Amino acid sequence: MAKLVVLSEGLIGRSHELTAERTTVGRVEDNTFQIAEASVSSHHCEILLQGSEIKVKDLNSTNGTYINGQQITEAVLKPDQVLRLGKVDLKLEGEGAAPSPGKKPIEQTLVVPRGVSLDKLEHGPKAIGFDTAAKGFAKKDNRTNKLFVAAVVVVVIGILAVIAWLIISGGNAAPPPGRR
């Protein structure tokens, strides 16, 4: 029986056998195969078993559905091809399916996790803080905010000027014509 095996780090080892005619894949619990990852849409795609073919149909996902790097709306998925949903890679494995030439079976694939190496941990804790000289942390020049602040200052000064004029004139302004 064919099955989808997750290749992406953090989810490695998860798999789902395609036993039903229709399998839904997505982030929420009501899917047949739930992949709780932010880049996967709530209802990302459906997988249809049609005879000997396995068809994948995108369900208007936000980040798209890809087979071997090509975005699809509906396509046939073959053994050993990589299905990408958002940032999650899955591989279709089938009983007796020979791997593509030049490709290692998943059991022989070396996965190098990213993270902190033991050498870095042995050197003790690092000071926590922001490196303000690092790229990406410099404050951006925002012209719109400057213009907004300038406009607010002009309006406030105008209001204060009117209030000052009323106080100085002592309320002795002439009454409107027709009222005496």
Side-chain angles (χ1 to χ4, degrees), residues 55-69:
K55 286 192 178 178
V56 179
K57 182 178 179 184
D58 184 74
L59 299 175
N60 296 320
S61 63
T62 302
N63 293 316
T65 300
Y66 297 81
I67 294 179
N68 285 350

Side-chain angles (χ1 to χ4, degrees), residues 174-180:
R179 292 192 175 175
R180 290 197 179 210

Side-chain angles (χ1 to χ4, degrees), residues 112-140:
V112 179
R114 295 182 188 177
V116 180
S117 69
L118 289 176
D119 294 328
K120 290 181 182 177
L121 286 175
E122 290 173 356
H123 289 49
K126 212 173 187 182
I128 298 174
F130 288 105
D131 181 7
T132 55
K135 288 183 180 178
F137 285 102
K139 187 173 181 179
K140 306 282 185 209

